Amino acid sequence: MKIDRYMVNLFFEIRRNLPHAMQAEMAISNPHLGDQMVALYRQTEDQNIKLLVKVFLQRAGEDWHAKVSAKKRRYRGAEVADSVTATTQNKRATEKTTTNMPQARTKSKRIYRGQVVE
């Protein structure tokens, strides 16, 4: 992957918005930076980070952008996201990067009689 000045600025903006534990794992000199970005895009829920990563991968090339773009298929006349392919690719990407990127802790929800309790 060829990295230009605009991508360097995007990388540091992405890194700045990540939690501190994940910042240490992200390095621009990493040869698997593209795979880390794809895994980060699928792992995070923050829309700002997703947008920055998507722009970064668009600049990296069409093959990298295709890994995060949603594939559409038609079912009974309606377009449906191809979630089966995305989940299998997500599993493969997380298997590769589970040792590289720590999982973010999420607060579990408590449900009582079908209602979310705080």
Side-chain angles (χ1 to χ4, degrees), residues 40-48 50:
L40 176 64
Y41 180 84
R42 293 184 178 144
Q43 183 180 18
T44 188
E45 295 296 323
D46 186 9
Q47 294 301 319
N48 188 26
K50 280 191 174 207

Side-chain angles (χ1 to χ4, degrees), residues 18-55:
L18 288 176
H20 185 68
M22 294 176 76
Q23 285 181 0
E25 298 295 325
M26 297 292 286
I28 199 160
S29 61
N30 189 352
H32 303 290
L33 180 63
D35 294 326
Q36 276 188 334
M37 288 293 186
V38 171
L40 176 64
Y41 180 84
R42 293 184 178 144
Q43 183 180 18
T44 188
E45 295 296 323
D46 186 9
Q47 294 301 319
N48 188 26
I49 293 175
K50 280 191 174 207
L51 178 66
L52 291 171
V53 170
K54 195 169 190 176
V55 171

